[in-house]
Amino acid sequence: SHIHNMCLGVTKGFEYKMRLVYNHFPINANIVDDGKTLEVRNFLGEKLVRKIPMLEGCIVHRGKEVKDELIITGNDIELVSQSAANVWQDCLVKGRDLRKFLDGIFVSHRGTIKG
């Protein structure tokens, strides 16, 4: 399975699509360093700027069709999925009722790059 994933990664590449979900405060996601770092601002109205570095070989960019979408691409499925997990984990709601505060950045699709 590792060798199969390596062959797929080199020939097609992997992508994870993530959606920004918010209710009251719109989440601002800025991409800096040519897709190497993601800055998340105004998460739940906080003034804290969350800087999330992408792992080696992964690049983040905005989706063109959907409004609040981030796309993480790369050749190694483990690094791409770990970068997506780091983004999700950095935007967890803590200390509040999870039934009410459904804000965050969630994975909406994963697979190979459509070419």
Side-chain angles (χ1 to χ4, degrees), residues 1-10 14 75-79:
S1 120
H2 286 292
I3 294 172
H4 177 70
N5 285 337
M6 284 191 267
C7 292
L8 272 179
V10 170
F14 293 101
N75 289 338
D76 190 354
I77 190 169
E78 293 177 0
L79 296 178

Side-chain angles (χ1 to χ4, degrees), residues 20-70:
L20 281 69
V21 179
Y22 51 86
N23 193 10
H24 295 291
F25 301 103
I27 301 172
N28 295 331
N30 298 328
I31 299 166
V32 294
D33 297 335
D34 295 327
K36 297 291 184 192
T37 306
L38 178 69
E39 288 184 351
V40 178
R41 299 173 188 270
N42 200 28
F43 180 69
L44 294 178
E46 297 173 345
K47 299 293 182 188
L48 176 70
V49 177
R50 300 164 193 258
K51 294 182 181 179
I52 307 161
M54 295 294 116
L55 296 178
E56 186 69 33
C58 297
I59 294 177
V60 62
H61 59 276
R62 289 209 175 267
K64 292 182 178 29
E65 299 91 25
V66 184
K67 179 185 169 200
D68 291 326
E69 185 178 54
L70 299 172

Side-chain angles (χ1 to χ4, degrees), residues 78-97:
E78 293 177 0
L79 296 178
V80 174
S81 61
Q82 186 61 50
S83 294
N86 291 342
V87 172
W88 172 76
Q89 193 173 20
D90 213 28
C91 296
L92 281 179
V93 177
K94 296 178 183 153
R96 293 186 172 94
D97 188 5

